[in-house]
Amino acid sequence: MKGITAKQNDVLLLSKTFALRVVRLHQYLVSSKREFVLSKQLLRSGTSIGANIKEAQFAQSKADFIAKMYIALKESGETEYWLELLHEAQYLEAKEFEDIVSPCRAIIRILNAITKTACNNKSHTTHSTFRI
């Protein structure tokens, strides 16, 4: 069994911190701005990132690990989209938007690197199962 890499640990912690920020932003948007639809989508995708990264820790195979991390990457992209919509619809000021989209984009960069590395290493692995 392999240990979790520093990059994977970083993205897990970053995604959890980010999810908590998304939860607080959702609460703010619902209570202060009376915005329910976009903020609910943001809540779902923004909290799903870390859940999929956490699931990847218990992957049954390298392919399963890659699939879970790739889902987390797709959820990150979707989250960035909802944040952009909220900003462009003027629910988020420029500073608020930059403060929350920046860690989202950092997560995207890290997940891109992890999935690329895992895919490149997949052909070099002879093990039938993979755990981090």
Side-chain angles (χ1 to χ4, degrees):
M1 180 158 52
K2 293 188 176 190
I4 190 167
T5 68
K7 190 176 282 191
Q8 291 161 356
N9 191 49
D10 287 349
V11 77
L12 182 60
L13 294 173
L14 186 59
S15 66
K16 188 173 189 179
T17 301
F18 179 72
L20 291 169
R21 291 184 68 188
V22 166
V23 169
R24 288 190 295 273
L25 177 57
H26 173 263
Q27 291 169 335
Y28 163 76
L29 290 168
V30 168
S31 64
S32 297
K33 301 284 188 169
R34 307 297 295 163
E35 197 297 309
F36 301 98
V37 177
L38 299 177
S39 61
K40 184 69 168 188
Q41 292 291 99
L42 173 67
L43 181 65
R44 287 182 180 146
S45 64
T47 56
S48 178
I49 300 165
N52 280 287
I53 294 168
K54 189 71 172 176
E55 274 190 61
Q57 287 185 310
F58 302 98
Q60 295 176 325
S61 65
K62 186 134 189 184
D64 187 34
F65 171 81
I66 292 168
K68 296 283 190 280
M69 293 301 265
Y70 191 69
I71 291 168
L73 176 58
K74 292 188 334 182
E75 294 290 341
S76 300
E78 181 181 338
T79 300
E80 181 183 37
Y81 175 77
W82 296 124
L83 289 170
E84 289 169 352
L85 279 181
L86 285 162
H87 174 62
E88 291 170 24
Q90 300 179 349
Y91 286 106
L92 294 176
E93 299 293 327
K95 173 96 170 86
E96 294 169 314
F97 171 70
E98 285 304 322
D99 286 348
I100 196 155
V101 81
S102 179
C104 182
R105 289 175 176 160
I107 291 168
I108 290 170
R109 285 190 299 275
I110 296 168
L111 288 172
N112 260 322
I114 290 170
T115 54
K116 283 180 185 177
T117 300
C119 284
N120 289 339
N121 292 339
K122 186 177 181 182
S123 61
H124 299 95
T125 302
T126 58
H127 303 268
S128 60
T129 60
F130 177 77
R131 295 200 190 265
I132 59 171

